[in-house]
Amino acid sequence: MQVKKYSGELVEFDLRRLKGSLSKSGASPDVVDEVWETMKPMVYDGISTRDLYKLAFRLLKREADSFAARYSLKRALKDLGPAGYYFEQWVAKLFNHAHYQTLTGQLLAGNSVTHEIDVVAQKGDEMLLVECKFRNTDDAKITVTTPMYFLSRVNDFNGRTFSFFGKDMPFTAGWLVTNAYMTTDSIDFSAYYNLNLLAWNYPEESSIKRRVDNAGLYPITCLTTVNKAEKDILLKQGCILVKDIVDDTAQLDSLDCAPRKKRRIIQEATELVNHQK
C-alpha cells in the first residue's frame, strides 16, 4: 500500500513509522495498537499523509487531549504564523529555558547596513545572533541559500560590540532556527562556516522536536481544548508556552469560557508539560 506525501510523491506505507509517531504522543503500546486497529479499515491505497494525520489525531484525542496535542506539535508550530512573529517569541523561550537572557526584534547597525535581528541571546561570555526562519508548509526545506545569506549578516557584525543586559560584547556565534527541515547542503555549508542550526529534525539528538518533548516547551497552539480565536487572544497577551498557563492559570481569565472548559484546558496543559519522553 502507498501513501501520498504533501509533495504529491507516492511512497510505501510504513506501519512501524506510524506507530512510532503515535507512541511519541505519550500513548501506551496498547493504546497505539488500539488506534491502529480502529484506523486500519479506513486506510486505503493512495491515502494522503494529511488524511492519515487527521485520522490519527481524532482517534488519539478520544483517548486523551494531551496525546493529540503532543502528536500535533509540527502543525502547532506552523500555527504560530502566518508571519512568524510568534515563532520568534517561542524561539526566545527555548533559549530562556537554556538560561539565556533574550530580546527580540532588535535593529542593529552592521558595518555596511542596519539589520533587524530576530533574537539576541546572552549568557556568560556568549552573545548569540539568532535568525528565525518560519515556514507554514508541512514539507518545507531550508536550502543552502538561507545559511549563505545568514553568514553574510553574521560577518557584517565583525569587529562590532553591542550593549545588552549590562554587558558590552560582540556576537560570539550565529544560530539559524527553523520549524522546517534542513537540506544536506545547508547542513554541510553551516558546519564548514561554524553556523549553528536548529530545525525540526536537526541535530538528531537535540532537534526542536526532541527539545520540546524533553522539556515540555510546547507552544499554546498545541492545545486541543482551545479554539483558534482563544489561542490568538493568549498569544497577543504574551502567553506563548503551554507552561505559561500551568505556571499562571490566570492567563485563562481573558477567555470567556465556562469553568468546566477552563478545568479541561488546565488538565490538558498540565499533562503536556509534565510528560517527558
Side-chain angles (χ1 to χ4, degrees):
M1 184 178 72
Q2 294 185 311
V3 296
K4 184 184 292 186
K5 297 174 65 175
Y6 293 102
S7 63
E9 178 188 2
L10 288 171
V11 297
E12 287 300 314
F13 172 65
D14 188 339
L15 178 58
R16 184 169 59 182
R17 184 174 180 180
L18 173 66
K19 286 190 172 184
S21 68
L22 292 172
S23 66
K24 288 177 182 177
S25 72
S28 68
D30 287 345
V31 169
V32 168
D33 288 341
E34 182 180 336
V35 167
W36 168 241
E37 287 302 317
T38 306
M39 288 178 66
K40 190 158 50 174
M42 295 177 268
V43 175
Y44 54 90
D45 189 37
I47 189 173
S48 69
T49 51
R50 184 186 299 274
D51 287 342
L52 264 179
Y53 162 81
K54 288 180 179 178
L55 184 56
F57 178 86
R58 177 163 51 85
L59 295 173
L60 279 172
K61 189 168 171 58
R62 289 181 186 175
E63 300 293 335
D65 291 326
S66 61
F67 291 168
R70 198 171 294 110
Y71 185 70
S72 69
L73 174 59
K74 197 168 197 307
R75 186 190 67 179
L77 291 175
K78 188 176 66 172
D79 288 345
L80 289 171
Y85 168 75
Y86 293 122
F87 180 68
E88 294 169 13
Q89 302 294 310
W90 180 76
V91 168
K93 295 277 190 179
L94 290 186
F95 282 94
N96 289 153
H97 181 75
H99 308 295
Y100 287 88
Q101 299 180 86
T102 61
L103 291 170
T104 58
Q106 300 296 301
L107 283 174
L108 301 178
N111 291 309
S112 62
V113 296
T114 297
H115 304 264
E116 182 172 359
I117 305 305
D118 296 330
V119 182
V120 174
Q122 191 276 329
K123 178 175 68 174
D125 295 330
E126 297 178 86
M127 190 158 81
L128 312 181
L129 189 162
V130 183
E131 177 96 354
C132 299
K133 288 299 176 186
F134 174 79
R135 296 291 185 265
N136 58 12
T137 54
D138 294 286
D139 57 351
K141 293 180 174 64
I142 300 297
T143 63
V144 70
T145 55
T146 299
M148 283 179 174
Y149 161 76
F150 180 48
L151 179 63
S152 69
R153 301 189 75 188
V154 172
N155 288 340
D156 198 37
F157 290 114
N158 285 344
R160 301 184 73 88
T161 61
F162 300 93
S163 181
F164 290 109
F165 312 109
K167 285 189 173 184
D168 293 334
M169 59 191 303
F171 286 112
T172 57
W175 279 76
L176 181 59
V177 183
T178 179
N179 63 320
Y181 297 93
M182 306 296 302
T183 64
T184 301
D185 282 351
S186 61
I187 292 171
D188 292 344
F189 179 90
S190 299
Y192 185 86
Y193 287 103
N194 296 315
L195 295 176
N196 297 281
L197 300 180
L198 178 60
W200 171 252
N201 65 332
Y202 186 86
E204 185 176 349
E205 295 304 316
S206 58
S207 64
I208 280 180
K209 171 74 170 110
R210 285 186 179 269
R211 289 181 185 224
V212 172
D213 281 342
N214 290 339
L217 301 174
Y218 298 94
I220 62 153
T221 44
C222 276
L223 293 174
T224 67
T225 49
V226 182
N227 63 39
K228 185 182 185 305
E230 292 166 337
K231 289 173 184 176
D232 288 343
I233 291 171
L234 291 170
L235 287 168
K236 286 176 183 176
Q237 70 189 34
C239 181
I240 306 297
L241 297 177
V242 172
K243 187 176 184 297
D244 295 336
I245 292 173
V246 176
D247 292 342
D248 179 15
T249 57
Q251 294 272 8
L252 299 177
D253 291 347
S254 58
L255 307 184
D256 185 19
C257 59
R260 181 180 178 182
K261 178 173 179 176
K262 186 179 293 187
R263 288 193 298 270
R264 191 177 170 192
I265 295 171
I266 293 170
Q267 179 182 349
E268 181 185 17
T270 303
E271 289 176 356
L272 260 179
V273 169
N274 290 341
H275 173 85
Q276 296 184 349
K277 290 296 288 179

